[in-house]
């Protein structure tokens, strides 16, 4: 998932090594031996250079890691980077049908797209 850059206020700052994925907030982070060291706290940086901070688990000390140490995440705790990119405009998209009806909670007339 990433590599350790440096310690910041008792947390780890890491750079992502997976260019097309972004970690979930609060996703558990592990060492190679699968022991949990903390959870994703913040996600930072431009979309093409993602960094994330790790809030350390009890008993773990961020300053005990060396620059370049690898950290890992479960594959189910990653989002595709496309989710954070602007959506392209659809030219000649589908037509919308506008309807007017009675709202179920009151006698007001509701309007919306269907």
């Amino acid at each position: 998932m990433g590599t350790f850059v440096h310690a910041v206020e008792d947390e780890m700052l890491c750079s992502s090594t997976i260019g097309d994925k972004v970690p979930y907030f609060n996703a558990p982070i592990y060492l190679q031996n699968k022991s949990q060291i903390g959870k994703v706290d913040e996600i930072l940086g431009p979309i093409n250079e993602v960094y994330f901070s790790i809030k350390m688990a009890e008993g773990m000390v961020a300053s005990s890691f060396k620059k370049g140490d690898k950290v890992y995440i479960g594959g189910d705790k990653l989002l595709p980077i496309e989710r954070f990119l602007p959506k392209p405009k659809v030219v000649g998209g589908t037509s919308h049908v506008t309807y007017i009806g009675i709202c179920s909670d009151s006698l007001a007339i509701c309007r919306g797209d269907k």
Side-chain angles (χ1 to χ4, degrees):
M1 168 74 240
T3 57
F4 177 69
V5 177
H6 61 85
V8 180
E9 296 180 5
D10 300 327
E11 292 189 4
M12 291 175 71
L13 178 66
C14 297
S15 63
S16 176
T17 56
I18 302 176
D20 60 343
K21 305 279 185 190
V22 175
Y24 278 48
F25 288 105
N26 292 318
I29 299 292
Y30 304 94
L31 294 175
Q32 187 174 11
N33 67 6
K34 298 183 182 171
S35 60
Q36 186 175 337
I37 60 169
K39 293 185 176 190
V40 174
D41 188 43
E42 293 185 55
I43 300 168
L44 322 149
I47 202 77
N48 61 348
E49 193 177 353
V50 176
Y51 291 87
F52 57 97
S53 65
I54 302 172
K55 187 173 187 90
M56 306 307 293
E58 191 172 322
M60 300 301 294
V61 179
S63 60
S64 67
F65 291 87
K66 296 185 292 276
K67 184 174 180 153
D69 284 350
K70 294 182 189 266
V71 295
Y72 302 86
I73 190 170
D76 62 333
K77 298 296 183 183
L78 294 168
L79 292 168
I81 200 118
E82 292 82 23
R83 191 153 179 195
F84 302 93
L85 299 174
K87 305 283 188 259
K89 300 266 185 205
V90 177
V91 178
T94 61
S95 62
H96 292 281
V97 177
T98 301
Y99 69 94
I100 297 177
I102 304 292
C103 291
S104 61
D105 294 302
S106 69
L107 295 177
I109 295 178
C110 298
R111 182 184 174 130
D113 291 328
K114 189 172 187 178

